[in-house]
């Protein structure tokens, strides 16, 4: 598992992720499949042997108990084996699902902060749900049926060899066709359609969302029809792909049938005596030493094998889908970044020289500034809308790219994504995230072992205490998606409370007072100057506050 | 089955038919010629099945007893196998075709229905979720139409054919089949229900898992800052393990039921084999010394036995397809049942009515237009399912007037804008444009006069330039100077110039580091480019912080000089430069003084 978390994904690595978990379903499945083939074969042999014995007058000495017991045993084995296989393979599958989900999480964590939101929510969800689904189906739909068919063939080939060695060749050839050639040919015929279809599916969906989000503008401009038409064209392409895939599957099944029929003809032909007098009269005669009873068993087994190989023609579709799923998931893969070994145990001062924070995608940011922050400082960053205050603050927090030189405690440091440095500071962004957990769980992210008293104290500090105690479930109230049941001000204060619990030496606040009344602002400022006073406080705000009055102002 | 029974059965079915089942049946009926063909192939399949068993039985018994076999009979057997293969090939293709026709037709219908719904589609769900319904949910019907539907027919056909062809040969085998078939069916239903329940529960838990993942993932930046990513991973791991455990519990049960069924079928085959074997040996306890069947007959029965249960077992495997389809149908019906209140009805009427109604309109004109009003609401109101969505309002808006419309949420502000956009039809009272009844104006030319600036700007994936020129293709396309002019007026030129790729910068869902204010400014530029003279704005400043909102409103003030404006905005973002302030409430519309 640890190996998987670093490497890129491949079907092989999935198969080997938990090899022992996989052995059980494979063995059980093979047993069940063989039992299924044997059930028919032995029944056929038993009945024909019984008929023969009676005809020869040996009926009374024929041991019917053993074959009867074997037939019943095979019936039970087939069922029990199938059951065991289903249970254990699904267990394995769910284990894989867990590993893969954690893999995706690891890749997300490894992504650097500036690119964290490059993936849209819908896209990530698509990868997480349907791509993962395609991948974990692979062992169940592709690998296992193939192994079962292979072993089934092996067993029947042995039976055929015992009946007559001449059958070995046609059996091997038919096996090659059934197990390799037919699936491969179908795969070649449809693999492009599978890949294109998968990608079209994602594309079509994106186009739908994109076009529909501008529905009104396009409608009032009278151009909706054109865009809807393009959407329809994508659908038509998808339709053609689907037709091709479906044709390939049906054709594959037909081919498998034809191979079976050909094999049966070969077997009968090879077992016949040539040039016999009876042959001309439309009768075939079995060669010497070939027992009719065993031939019956063989033919019935072959028919059973036919049922085992039929699903294989479908497996290439699943194979293609899994591969596309893997490729898409691997796009999330992150090269493990070289972590700088620098340690920052405390922050006494931060000096920025010619510093400019900017967004990776747009390159927009603040104009270059130089300033020094020292213990005891309260700094108010001010500037017109769009002057890059928030960007500067984010770059100071190590969340955003920057140019220039930074010294922490007079040591040069790279701030961006520097975990050791970031561990020492608290940053409240403009739109902080509130998790869909209880209020207490959200706060405990700041300090794991905080007591209830500490939680209430910090809630009071941000003037949320009254609100929380008024809730029916108090601290254990569950918050809705993205803090939907909170106002913007409440969400921000809750996030601030979480930060204050951490009590780190640097506190960076981006518009903490937006939408709050004067009394609340004063209350929070009081807490920030007394009980929860950080060593260095940097504030971005367009609202006057008691904190701002005593702050050093830096104009951008 | 007597006629009486049949009637009884259909009546009972009729009573339990859910809307989903009716919906799916209706869709299947569209393709009934295809399905009839599928049934034809099914009959061919069943006949060749029996023929193959008959031929092989003869070959086998001859081979065993005399070491010879009849070549023509063998050929018949192999030919029957070939026919079987071809029949299932045809069956698959035709039923897949039927399924495709149904699904792609349905999808077209859904897309055009959503188009007609316009903004009210968002009352069903947001666009991303709607796309899941239109694509994934429609495709979820595939298994139902391509596998389950044809299989239902096979499940009655094949056992019936086998029973009929077994009856003349052996009554014992006939009765074994007769006795076990109902039991198998009872098990089937039981298993199906269990599996469906399991499926649904599993689906819910899976959705919850994804939800948790998305929640943690969205707050990942926060978790990283707090240094809590390891704990989050533990949480994910724990819930995934818990999920694995509960799901396995459910699955074990579901599989056990299937296994019982399988065992039943397997044992029946084994019992028949044993009976035949002992019978042939003349060793049956109740028939010692005499064989109830010949070897040929025994072979025949043995070959048919597995085929008897096979369709039932397949139906059991496909049963979840039905559940899946019904679940999907619920979601799709929700879309189709949402009433279209759009303009399409009066759009088609518009052309035919224009002449007749223009005469009545002249009288309207004389009656109402003592003042040249561009827009006039006359006791305009509407209700939806008995609930008032807009109290009766009477007001007028002159050309070039800029009006601020405020009011609490849910009072009908947005609905009023949707009406003006031509997406709401079922209103009471009258809405006049230039003195003409709204429903009889030419909607296309009216819409061309409009610019729409909603709360979240309407952006498609593509460059900024493409978005600015969205819907202005062809002759209406503005030239570069006009583009620069619009950018300057909306104060976008500075930040667009600062972008490394300028106007070619790609805009996505996430907005590439453009702030909300900048996005709104680009919307203003787009409105300017469209040369529309009537601008409808729906809370353009919500979601922006105070400072940005004021700056955007100031830009809007300058850019919209000379245009007719209807701006919906909360009291928290007052439009101080508006000519009029309309306050909308449950009691109606009041003009406020500044």
């Amino acid at each position: 598992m640890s190996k998987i978390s670093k490497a890129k994904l491949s079907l092989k690595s999935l198969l080997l992720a938990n090899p022992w978990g996989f052995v059980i379903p494979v063995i059980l499945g093979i047993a069940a499949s063989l039992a299924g083939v044997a059930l028919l074969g032995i029944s056929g042999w038993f009945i024909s042997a019984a008929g023969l014995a009676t005809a020869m007058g040996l009926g009374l000495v024929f041991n019917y108990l053993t074959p009867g017991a074997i037939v019943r045993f095979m019936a039970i084995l087939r069922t029990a084996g199938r059951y065991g296989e289903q249970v254990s393979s699904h267990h394995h599958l769910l284990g894989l699902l867990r590993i893969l989900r954690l893999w995706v999480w690891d890749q997300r964590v490894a992504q650097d902060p500036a690119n964290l939101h490059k993936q849209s929510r819908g896209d990530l969800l698509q990868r997480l749900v349907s791509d993962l689904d395609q991948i974990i189906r692979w062992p169940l739909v592709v690998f296992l049926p193939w192994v079962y068919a292979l072993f089934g063939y092996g067993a029947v080939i042995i039976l055929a060899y015992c009946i007559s060695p001449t059958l070995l060749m046609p059996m091997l050839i038919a096996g090659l066709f059934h197990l390799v050639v037919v699936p491969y040919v179908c795969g070649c015929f449809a693999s492009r359609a599978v890949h294109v279809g998968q990608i079209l599916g994602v594309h079509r969906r994106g186009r739908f969302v994109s076009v529909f989000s501008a529905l009104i503008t396009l409608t009032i401009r009278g151009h909706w029809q054109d865009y809807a038409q393009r959407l329809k064209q994508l659908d038509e392409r998808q339709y053609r792909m689907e037709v091709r895939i479906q044709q390939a599957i049906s054709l594959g099944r037909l081919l498998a049938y034809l191979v079976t029929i050909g094999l049966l003809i070969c077997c009968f032909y090879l077992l016949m005596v040539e040039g016999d007098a009876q042959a001309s009269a439309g009768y075939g005669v079995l060669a010497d030493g070939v027992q009719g009873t065993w031939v019956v068993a063989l033919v019935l087994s072959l028919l059973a094998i036919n049922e085992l190989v039929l699903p294989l023609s479908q497996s290439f579709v699943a194979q293609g889908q899994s591969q596309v799923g893997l490729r898409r998931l691997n796009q999330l893969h992150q090269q493990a970044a070289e972590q700088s070994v620098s340690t920052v145990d405390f922050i006494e001062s931060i000096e920025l020289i010619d510093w400019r924070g900017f967004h990776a995608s747009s390159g927009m940011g603040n104009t270059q500034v130089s300033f020094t922050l020292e213990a005891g400082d309260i700094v108010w960053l001010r500037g017109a809308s769009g002057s890059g205050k928030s960007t500067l603050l984010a770059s100071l927090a190590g969340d955003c790219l920057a140019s220039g030189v930074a010294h922490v405690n007079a040591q040069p440091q790279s701030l961006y994504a520097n975990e050791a440095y970031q561990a020492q500071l608290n940053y409240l962004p403009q739109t902080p995230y509130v998790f869909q957990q209880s209020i207490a769980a959200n706060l405990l992210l700041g300090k794991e072992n905080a007591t209830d008293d500490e939680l209430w104290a910090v809630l009071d500090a941000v003037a949320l205490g009254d609100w929380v105690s008024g809730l029916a479930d108090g601290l254990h109230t569950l918050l809705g998606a993205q803090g939907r049941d909170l106002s913007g001000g409440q969400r921000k204060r809750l996030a601030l409370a979480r930060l204050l619990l951490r009590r780190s030496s640097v506190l960076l606040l981006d518009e903490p007072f937006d939408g709050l009344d004067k009394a609340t602002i004063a209350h929070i400022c009081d807490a920030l100057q007394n009980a929860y006073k950080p060593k260095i406080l940097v504030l971005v705000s367009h609202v006057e506050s008691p904190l701002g009055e005593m702050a050093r102002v830096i104009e951008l | 089955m007597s006629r009486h029974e049949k009637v009884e059965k259909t009546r009972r079915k009729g009573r339990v038919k859910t809307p989903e089942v009716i919906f799916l049946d209706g869709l299947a009926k569209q393709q009934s010629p295809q399905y009839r063909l599928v049934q034809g192939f099914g009959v061919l399949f069943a006949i060749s099945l029996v023929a193959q068993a008959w031929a092989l039985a003869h070959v086998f018994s001859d081979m065993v007893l005399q070491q010879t076999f009849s070549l023509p009979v063998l050929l018949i057997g192999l030919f029957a196998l070939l026919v079987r293969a071809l029949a299932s090939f045809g069956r698959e293709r035709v039923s897949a075709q039927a399924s495709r026709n149904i699904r792609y037709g349905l999808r077209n219908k859904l897309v055009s229905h959503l188009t007609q719904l316009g903004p009210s589609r968002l009352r069903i769900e947001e666009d991303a979720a709607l796309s899941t319904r239109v694509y994934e949910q429609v495709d979820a019907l595939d298994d139902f139409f391509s596998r389950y539907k044809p299989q239902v027919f096979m499940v009655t056909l094949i056992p019936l054919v086998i029973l009929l062809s077994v009856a003349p040969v052996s009554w014992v085998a006939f009765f074994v089949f007769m006795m076990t078939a109902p039991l198998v069916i009872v098990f089937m239903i039981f298993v199906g229900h269990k599996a469906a329940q399991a499926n649904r529960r599993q689906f819910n838990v899976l959705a919850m898992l994804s939800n948790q993942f998305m929640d943690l993932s969205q707050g990942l930046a926060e978790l990283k800052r707090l240094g809590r990513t390891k704990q989050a991973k533990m949480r994910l791991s724990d819930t995934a393990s818990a999920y694995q455990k509960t799901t396995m519990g459910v699955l074990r049960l579901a599989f056990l039921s299937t296994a019982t069924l399988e065992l039943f079928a397997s044992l029946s085959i084994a019992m028949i084999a044993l009976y035949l074997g002992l019978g042939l040996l003349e060793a049956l306890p109740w028939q010692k010394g005499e064989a109830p069947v010949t070897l040929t007959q025994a072979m025949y029965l043995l070959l048919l036995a597995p085929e008897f249960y096979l369709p039932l077992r397949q139906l059991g495997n496909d049963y979840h397809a039905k559940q899946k389809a019904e679940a999907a149908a619920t979601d799709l019906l929700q879309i189709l049942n949402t009433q279209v209140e759009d303009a399409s009805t009066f759009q088609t009427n518009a052309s035919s009515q224009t002449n007749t109604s223009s005469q009545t309109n002249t009288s309207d004109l004389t009656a109402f237009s003592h003042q040249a009003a561009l827009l006039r609401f006359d006791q305009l109101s509407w209700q939806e399912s008995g609930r008032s969505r807009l109290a009766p309002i009477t007001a007028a808006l002159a050309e070039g007037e800029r009006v601020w419309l405020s009011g609490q949420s849910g009072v009908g502000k947005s609905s009023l804008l949707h009406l003006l956009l031509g997406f709401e039809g079922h209103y009471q009272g009258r809405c006049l444009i230039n003195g003409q009844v709204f429903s009889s104006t030419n909607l296309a030319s009216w819409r061309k006069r409009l610019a729409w600036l909603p709360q979240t700007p309407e952006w498609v994936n593509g460059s900024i330039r493409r978005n600015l020129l969205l819907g202005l293709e062809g002759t209406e396309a503005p030239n570069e100077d006009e583009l620069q002019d619009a950018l300057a007026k909306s104060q976008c030129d500075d930040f667009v110039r600062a972008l490394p790729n300028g106007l070619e910068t790609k805009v996505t869902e996430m907005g590439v580091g453009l702030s909300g204010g900048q996005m709104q400014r680009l919307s203003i530029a787009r409105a300017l480019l469209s040369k529309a003279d009537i601008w409808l704005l729906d809370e353009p400043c919500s979601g922006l912080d105070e400072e940005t909102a004021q700056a955007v409103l100031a830009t809007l003030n300058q850019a919209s000089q000379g245009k007719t404006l209807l701006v919906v905005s909360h009291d928290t973002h007052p439009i101080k430069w508006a000519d009029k302030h309309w306050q909308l409430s449950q009691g109606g519309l009041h003009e406020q003084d500044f």
Side-chain angles (χ1 to χ4, degrees):
Chain A
M1 193 178 135
S2 57
K3 233 192 292 170
I4 268 197
S5 72
K6 296 219 175 55
K8 278 202 168 196
L9 293 173
S10 71
L11 289 175
K12 200 173 130 202
S13 70
L14 286 183
L15 211 53
L16 298 177
N18 181 7
W20 293 112
F22 205 53
V23 164
I24 299 166
V26 170
I27 291 176
L28 287 172
I30 290 171
S33 308
L34 290 182
V37 174
L39 180 64
L40 265 184
I42 294 175
S43 307
W45 176 84
F46 173 47
I47 291 180
S48 27
L52 183 63
T54 314
M56 293 170 71
L58 298 170
L60 292 174
V61 294
F62 184 80
N63 174 8
Y64 53 79
L65 286 176
T66 320
I70 291 177
V71 167
R72 269 168 297 169
F73 174 69
M74 285 300 164
I76 292 167
L77 183 62
R78 183 176 84 154
T79 314
R82 189 64 66 212
Y83 173 67
E85 184 241 7
Q86 280 184 318
V87 169
S88 56
S89 64
H90 278 85
H91 184 77
H92 177 72
L93 230 65
L94 289 169
L96 267 188
L97 188 67
R98 179 171 152 266
I99 292 175
L100 283 174
R101 281 175 167 271
L102 294 180
W103 183 87
V104 174
W105 176 254
D106 282 336
Q107 305 314 314
R108 294 280 299 160
V109 171
Q111 188 140 48
D112 54 334
N115 293 320
L116 205 51
H117 290 293
K118 222 162 60 180
Q119 230 91 45
S120 75
R121 195 178 140 81
D123 183 60
L124 187 64
L125 200 64
Q126 169 93 12
R127 285 172 208 260
L128 200 66
V129 178
S130 59
D131 289 351
L132 277 194
D133 228 41
Q134 307 278 18
I135 296 171
I136 62 167
R137 265 166 18 125
W138 184 80
L140 209 62
V141 187
V142 182
F143 184 74
L144 290 177
W146 195 82
V147 169
Y148 302 155
L150 181 71
F151 275 85
Y153 245 106
V156 179
I157 286 176
I158 293 171
L159 174 66
Y161 184 79
C162 292
I163 294 171
S164 164
T166 52
L167 294 178
L168 191 61
M169 214 50 203
M171 285 296 298
L172 285 175
I173 293 172
L176 191 70
F177 266 91
H178 266 151
L179 297 175
V180 183
V181 177
V182 172
Y184 181 76
V185 167
C186 291
C188 289
F189 185 69
S191 73
R192 201 184 144 264
V194 172
H195 285 112
V196 172
Q198 290 280 98
I199 291 158
L200 262 183
V202 177
H203 183 53
R204 194 173 55 161
R205 191 188 162 117
R207 177 75 68 86
F208 177 94
V209 175
S210 161
V211 169
F212 261 85
S213 64
L215 172 66
I216 297 179
T217 303
L218 288 172
T219 310
I220 61 178
R221 296 270 162 277
H223 282 284
W224 172 257
Q225 284 311 320
D226 308 343
Y227 283 82
Q229 193 58 36
R230 274 181 241 169
L231 210 57
K232 207 173 161 192
Q233 278 164 6
L234 274 183
D235 220 36
E236 278 159 7
R237 276 179 71 192
Q238 179 86 350
Y239 183 93
R240 287 198 291 277
M241 295 303 143
E242 219 176 278
V243 170
R244 201 174 164 82
I245 293 170
Q246 199 275 321
Q247 279 176 345
I249 294 177
S250 297
L251 212 64
R253 285 168 175 271
L254 189 63
L255 283 176
Y257 262 113
L258 291 180
V259 171
T260 306
I261 293 173
L263 179 61
L264 284 173
I265 293 174
C266 270
C267 287
F268 276 107
Y269 180 76
L270 288 172
L271 292 174
M272 257 165 40
V273 182
E274 279 178 78
D276 195 88
Q278 273 180 308
S280 52
Y283 276 91
V285 179
L286 288 182
D288 284 339
V290 176
Q291 291 188 354
T293 47
W294 286 108
V295 178
V296 172
L298 176 67
V299 173
L300 285 174
S301 309
L302 285 178
L303 289 177
I305 283 286
N306 186 49
E307 300 294 321
L308 277 185
V309 296
L310 281 183
L312 292 187
S313 67
Q314 219 163 343
S315 64
F316 68 87
V317 177
Q319 171 89 21
Q321 286 170 336
S322 309
Q323 272 165 351
V324 176
L326 265 183
R327 198 172 330 138
R328 280 173 49 80
L329 214 55
N330 270 328
Q331 286 168 356
L332 296 178
H333 180 69
Q334 296 295 318
Q335 289 301 332
E338 288 296 316
Q339 263 305 324
S340 52
V341 274
S342 68
T343 52
V344 180
D345 297 326
F346 60 94
I347 298 176
E348 275 297 323
S349 72
I350 303 170
E351 188 188 4
L352 301 179
I353 305 158
D354 298 337
W355 190 259
R356 179 175 180 276
F358 61 90
H359 286 288
S361 48
S362 60
M364 295 205 296
N366 60 304
T367 46
Q368 279 190 2
V369 286
S370 302
F371 58 85
T372 308
L373 303 168
E374 285 183 8
D377 269 1
I378 298 178
V379 171
W380 186 7
L381 288 179
R382 274 201 317 208
S385 175
S387 61
K389 295 163 296 193
S390 295
T391 319
L392 175 61
L393 200 67
S395 68
L396 188 56
D399 263 15
C400 185
L401 291 170
S403 61
V405 183
H407 294 274
V408 178
N409 305 333
Q411 295 286 319
Q413 285 278 359
S414 148
L415 302 189
Y416 178 65
N418 182 340
E419 281 179 31
Y421 162 74
Q422 285 177 304
Q424 299 303 318
L425 64 81
N426 271 333
Y427 167 49
L428 181 73
Q430 213 161 27
T431 44
Y433 194 82
V434 169
F435 294 91
Q436 290 180 48
Q437 299 176 20
S438 66
I439 292 176
N442 262 295
L443 290 176
L444 289 175
L445 285 171
K447 184 181 178 189
E448 261 181 305
N449 51 2
T451 61
D452 274 10
D453 289 341
E454 280 178 274
L455 297 188
W456 282 113
V458 80
L459 282 173
D460 282 333
V462 296
L464 279 179
D466 290 342
W467 172 69
V468 174
S469 56
L471 294 171
D473 292 327
L475 279 174
H476 303 290
T477 307
L478 279 176
L479 299 176
Q482 290 161 45
R484 204 176 287 154
D485 30 4
L486 303 178
S487 75
Q490 283 172 329
R491 199 182 318 162
K492 224 163 203 178
R493 280 183 281 160
L494 195 62
L496 177 62
R498 180 163 67 196
L499 293 180
L500 294 182
L501 274 175
R502 276 183 87 204
R503 290 190 176 277
S504 49
S505 40
V506 180
L507 186 59
L508 310 175
L509 303 176
D510 196 349
E511 300 284 1
F513 308 129
D514 215 19
L516 300 184
D517 58 65
K518 276 218 161 68
T520 314
I521 294 176
H523 183 93
I524 295 173
C525 287
D526 182 58
L528 290 175
Q529 281 162 297
N530 298 304
Y532 295 93
K533 187 174 168 37
K535 272 194 217 158
I536 301 173
L537 196 153
V538 183
L539 179 72
V540 168
S541 175
H542 68 274
V543 181
E544 299 282 334
S545 61
L547 214 53
E549 280 162 24
M550 53 186 298
R552 176 156 65 99
V553 175
I554 297 180
E555 288 280 353
L556 283 182
Chain B
M1 187 185 294
S2 72
R3 181 170 299 162
H4 174 74
E5 256 178 48
K6 226 174 189 168
V7 171
E8 183 68 37
K9 205 177 164 191
T10 45
R11 216 180 31 223
R12 235 190 48 214
K13 256 192 183 162
R15 213 171 32 209
V16 294
K17 261 194 180 173
T18 59
E20 284 85 7
V21 175
I22 297 169
F23 173 66
L24 292 174
D25 283 349
L27 287 174
K29 276 213 187 70
Q30 296 169 358
Q31 296 293 320
S32 48
Q34 258 81 359
Y35 279 118
R36 265 198 293 280
L37 193 59
V38 168
Q39 290 178 349
F41 277 122
V43 172
L44 193 64
F45 182 88
I47 292 171
S48 58
L49 194 73
V50 175
Q52 181 202 337
W54 173 85
L56 286 184
H58 276 275
V59 169
F60 287 169
S61 66
D62 286 355
M63 208 158 60
V64 169
L65 297 176
Q66 291 139 27
Q67 291 279 34
T68 61
F69 51 89
S70 156
L71 285 176
V73 176
L74 176 66
L75 283 181
I76 291 175
L78 292 177
F79 181 71
L81 187 61
L82 182 67
V83 171
R84 221 175 115 179
L86 289 172
S88 52
F89 178 70
R91 225 166 68 84
E92 267 171 34
R93 290 199 60 162
V94 177
S95 49
Q97 179 68 41
S99 159
R100 273 198 301 271
N101 290 346
I102 292 171
R103 282 180 293 122
Y104 282 82
L106 178 64
R107 187 171 292 145
N108 269 336
K109 199 172 145 196
L110 283 169
V111 169
S112 59
H113 189 83
L114 284 172
T115 310
Q116 290 177 356
L117 280 177
S120 27
R121 76 184 187 284
L122 296 175
R123 262 184 275 154
I124 308 172
E125 225 166 343
E126 54 173 324
D127 281 334
L130 285 177
S131 77
T132 311
R133 293 193 190 190
V134 169
Y135 296 111
E136 274 83 351
Q137 298 282 54
V138 169
D139 278 338
L141 303 179
D142 185 24
D143 283 346
F144 178 79
F145 287 120
S146 65
R147 302 228 307 264
Y148 183 82
K149 196 85 192 163
Q151 192 63 27
V152 169
F153 177 69
M154 295 302 271
V155 149
T156 41
L157 177 74
I158 290 186
L160 211 67
V161 169
I162 291 182
L163 275 178
L164 283 178
S165 48
V166 158
V169 177
S170 162
W171 282 104
V172 174
F174 178 79
F175 279 117
V176 170
F177 285 147
M178 271 301 264
M179 300 290 283
T180 49
L183 278 173
V184 169
I185 290 168
V186 167
F187 260 96
M188 205 82 232
I189 293 166
F190 179 68
V191 168
H193 272 289
K194 270 267 184 277
Q197 273 174 2
N199 231 4
R200 220 167 309 143
R201 214 175 316 170
Q202 198 187 352
F203 204 76
N204 286 342
V205 183
L206 194 64
M208 201 198 73
L209 256 181
S210 301
N211 203 23
Q212 184 195 40
F213 192 98
M214 289 314 288
D215 182 42
L216 290 174
S217 172
Q218 285 209 293
L220 184 56
E222 199 83 11
L223 288 172
K224 275 181 143 182
R225 272 179 229 124
L226 295 167
R228 290 277 181 257
T229 50
K230 291 238 162 50
Q231 283 81 348
K233 187 176 173 180
M234 287 297 290
R235 240 178 83 108
L236 282 174
S237 171
D238 286 349
T239 36
S241 300
Y243 169 71
Q244 186 175 9
K245 221 168 142 189
T246 49
T247 312
M248 278 321 292
V250 176
L251 283 182
R252 237 173 246 135
L253 212 79
F255 289 147
L256 192 64
S257 331
T258 338
T260 336
L261 181 72
E262 282 257 328
L263 187 68
F264 221 74
S266 295
L267 282 181
S268 309
I269 300 171
M271 292 310 284
I272 287 181
L274 200 62
Y275 159 75
L276 294 172
L278 292 181
L280 286 173
L281 288 170
E282 301 169 0
L284 283 175
W286 64 92
Q287 266 183 320
K288 279 230 187 308
E290 99 186 78
V293 285
T294 65
L295 182 58
T296 316
Q297 289 170 335
M299 280 297 175
Y300 178 64
L301 293 174
L302 183 75
L303 283 167
L304 285 180
E307 304 293 347
F308 183 80
Y309 299 101
L310 196 61
L312 275 170
R313 274 163 45 202
Q314 269 167 4
L315 188 72
N317 289 337
D318 293 343
Y319 194 80
H320 74 272
K322 185 171 174 252
Q323 300 290 335
K324 205 167 73 174
E326 280 177 9
T330 314
D331 284 351
L332 298 177
L333 274 174
Q334 198 196 350
I335 294 180
L336 291 174
N337 288 342
T338 306
Q339 255 189 4
V340 177
E341 303 180 25
D342 92 317
S344 66
T345 44
F346 50 89
Q347 218 166 7
T348 46
N349 294 341
S351 50
S352 59
Q353 272 186 6
T354 340
N355 294 329
T356 50
S357 55
S358 58
Q359 277 138 30
T360 48
N361 281 336
T362 7
S363 58
D364 285 342
L365 212 64
T366 44
F368 284 97
S369 65
H370 26 212
Q371 182 197 330
L374 172 66
L375 260 177
R376 177 180 290 281
F377 307 127
D378 178 25
Q379 286 296 312
L380 179 75
S381 72
W382 76 92
Q383 295 184 334
E384 194 181 67
S385 48
R387 199 170 56 92
S388 164
R389 265 182 57 208
L390 180 70
I393 58 168
T394 302
L397 183 63
E399 194 123 8
E401 239 179 347
R402 300 193 295 177
V403 172
W404 167 28
L405 177 65
S406 71
Q408 297 199 314
S409 47
V411 84
K413 303 187 301 283
S414 296
S415 306
L416 191 62
L417 292 184
H418 295 165
L419 181 148
L420 292 175
L421 286 165
F423 285 105
E424 298 270 3
H426 295 247
Y427 52 87
Q428 287 90 45
R430 296 208 293 179
C431 171
L432 303 173
I433 294 167
N434 286 329
Q436 210 181 13
V437 178
F438 185 67
S439 53
S440 65
T441 49
N442 183 336
L443 193 65
S445 61
W446 161 249
R447 277 175 166 171
K448 284 233 187 272
R449 298 181 65 186
L450 301 176
W452 169 241
L453 289 92
Q455 185 178 338
T456 31
E458 295 199 322
W459 294 111
V460 299
N461 289 335
S463 63
I464 291 180
R465 179 191 297 275
R466 180 165 172 235
N467 270 292
L468 286 176
L469 302 181
L470 191 70
L472 298 173
E473 288 91 348
T475 50
E476 300 153 64
N479 58 31
E480 195 61 33
D481 290 342
E482 289 173 298
L483 194 63
Q484 291 303 334
D485 185 47
L487 286 176
K489 276 190 183 151
S490 58
Q491 293 173 14
C492 295
D493 44 351
D494 285 342
F495 74 82
V496 168
R497 212 173 295 133
L499 293 170
N501 293 326
L503 278 173
E504 307 310 322
T505 308
K506 292 261 178 282
V507 183
T508 59
E509 195 186 330
M510 309 305 290
V512 287
L514 291 183
S515 71
Q518 288 164 335
M519 297 291 269
Q520 281 298 4
R521 281 175 201 280
L522 284 172
S523 297
I524 295 174
R526 175 156 75 184
L528 282 170
L529 281 171
S530 73
K531 304 200 181 76
D533 63 336
I534 305 165
W535 292 15
L536 305 173
L537 296 93
D538 193 5
E539 306 202 11
C541 293
S542 69
L544 302 182
D545 66 74
E546 194 56 42
E547 195 185 0
T548 316
Q550 288 313 324
V552 167
L553 285 179
T555 308
L556 185 64
N557 179 21
Q558 286 163 21
S560 68
Q561 300 286 349
K563 311 277 183 192
T564 311
L565 246 68
L566 187 57
V567 189
V568 170
S569 184
H570 274 294
D571 292 334
T572 46
H573 296 296
I575 318 288
K576 300 217 175 75
W577 40 262
D579 300 320
K580 278 183 188 171
H581 177 198
W582 290 353
Q583 175 106 41
L584 192 61
S585 67
Q586 299 290 352
L589 193 131
H590 304 282
E591 200 165 321
Q592 300 273 316
D593 297 327
F594 281 100

